[in-house]
Amino acid sequence: MKNVVILGSTGSIGTSALKVVDDLPDRLRVVGLAAGSNVALLREQARRYRPRLACLRDPAAAAELEATPGLPCEVCSGEEGLVRLATMPEADIVLLAIVGTGGLRPALAAIRAGKDLALASKEVLVMAGSIVMREARAHGVRILAVDSEHSAIFQCLDGRPIESVRKLWLTASGGPFRDPQQWPQHRFAEIRLEDALQHPSWVMGRKITIDSATLFNKGLEMIEARWLFDIPIDRVEVLIHPQSVVHSMVEFVDGSWLAQLSTPDMCLPIQYALTYPERVPSGRVQTDFVKLGALTFEAPDRERFPALDLARRAGRIGGTLPAVLNAANEVAVAAFVQGRLSFAEIPERVRRAMEAHRVIEEPTLEQILEADAWARRVTLEI
């Protein structure tokens, strides 16, 4: 039996993780749950799974939850509460599914407490990959990918040395604007929020869905892969695969390829991370290749989707620049959601913030957080 802490339990990854717990009650037990401000759903989850500790990032929301009659757990709040959950003595693995930069300190706290980390918050490695992976090695813990793409690569590598790899290939659906006939570049300024939220393959949170539409999500995944698999970013490529069945591939130096395939369902990579190194039976994911028919691939359109080149540049230069890329994108996406910025302007604002930044090559955690805050201020000014 593994004791699991889920940070971000009310989001799409967190709710899928609880489905996996439901599927495997003899293998997984929830001991901690954390959310942002969704009191109603966290209350329901706490009553059902009876964790020892629950946390809401918003203190007012935590006070409301704590006032619930008969609540079967202790309640805490804020970043201190997240760190407390991440370091619970009884926890075996921490699933980190907090959107944005708020997961960085809890991730490091979990690692330093000797907890394996099932990582769905790619921003943690984008911002501080060098520090996070160094700490994981020092404390002998595993960073287990939850993103379907990185889980696929991890499964394909299966312990093989990175020296045997020519390239890692991350697949992308291409998002709702993949078709250049329907969405030529000059129409990007017309894109509405409801258009950007129509992802063709996955049901996800708002921020990651918009990032998938701009391909910034894939750019962030390139940087994440660079750190997870200790490979130069120039050996990480992106391929558009509209069916979202091939989740990613590894090209080896001898010319052979391995791929991991399944119908798109986040429960599969979540289960693999939570039960690793075992592969546990499940009837949740069913793949019928006869019904699927053809699987197609195409090169990404880097002119219409400049996010990929911006991310590659940030990953190549390193230092504080990936943190600036990530923070500027978060601010630009928020402005688009609020109707203050067009879809077409998102990558342009990120580019301008990156060009204005003076890179620190080997930053401390404090310098990374300062670069993050700087990028947010500058992008708002832009």
Side-chain angles (χ1 to χ4, degrees), residues 89-108:
E90 58 266 59
D92 298 307
I93 188 167
V94 176
L95 172 61
L96 185 65
I98 299 172
V99 176
T101 58
L104 183 53
R105 289 192 187 278
L108 288 170

Side-chain angles (χ1 to χ4, degrees), residues 146-279:
V146 170
D147 273 349
S148 61
E149 296 83 358
H150 301 91
S151 176
I153 290 171
F154 181 67
Q155 293 178 62
C156 291
L157 286 174
D158 195 27
R160 295 176 178 84
I162 205 65
E163 292 77 19
S164 68
V165 173
R166 182 177 293 162
K167 286 185 178 181
L168 305 180
W169 290 86
L170 301 173
T171 57
S173 71
F177 313 122
R178 178 182 65 86
D179 185 353
Q181 301 301 316
Q182 183 182 1
W183 289 103
Q185 191 168 10
H186 67 81
R187 287 196 62 204
F188 274 23
E190 305 170 16
I191 290 172
R192 302 164 301 170
L193 176 60
E194 52 265 39
D195 299 323
L197 292 175
Q198 297 301 310
H199 196 280
S201 303
W202 299 94
V203 177
M204 305 177 291
R206 175 176 285 187
K207 164 65 165 53
I208 192 172
T209 303
I210 295 170
D211 281 351
S212 294
T214 61
L215 292 194
F216 262 110
N217 187 51
K218 209 54 51 178
L220 297 175
E221 287 176 4
M222 290 166 62
I223 300 173
E224 184 182 8
R226 177 263 177 275
W227 291 112
L228 271 176
F229 305 111
D230 193 23
I231 190 169
I233 198 165
D234 287 334
R235 287 162 63 191
V236 181
E237 298 287 353
V238 171
L239 199 60
I240 303 299
H241 171 51
Q243 295 83 16
S244 298
V245 171
V246 177
H247 296 300
S248 277
M249 301 178 282
V250 176
E251 179 186 0
F252 292 94
V253 291
D254 62 357
S256 63
W257 294 54
L258 288 180
Q260 185 265 328
L261 299 82
S262 72
T263 52
D265 188 323
M266 281 307 299
C267 287
L268 196 155
I270 291 168
Q271 176 176 305
Y272 190 74
L274 293 181
T275 61
Y276 184 82
E278 295 181 79
R279 193 179 285 274

Side-chain angles (χ1 to χ4, degrees), residues 346-363:
I346 294 174
E348 176 61 18
R349 296 302 186 269
V350 175
R351 181 188 64 77
R352 288 173 63 182
M354 289 173 63
E355 289 178 351
H357 181 61
R358 183 174 296 176
V359 177
I360 299 172
E361 291 185 3
E362 296 183 7

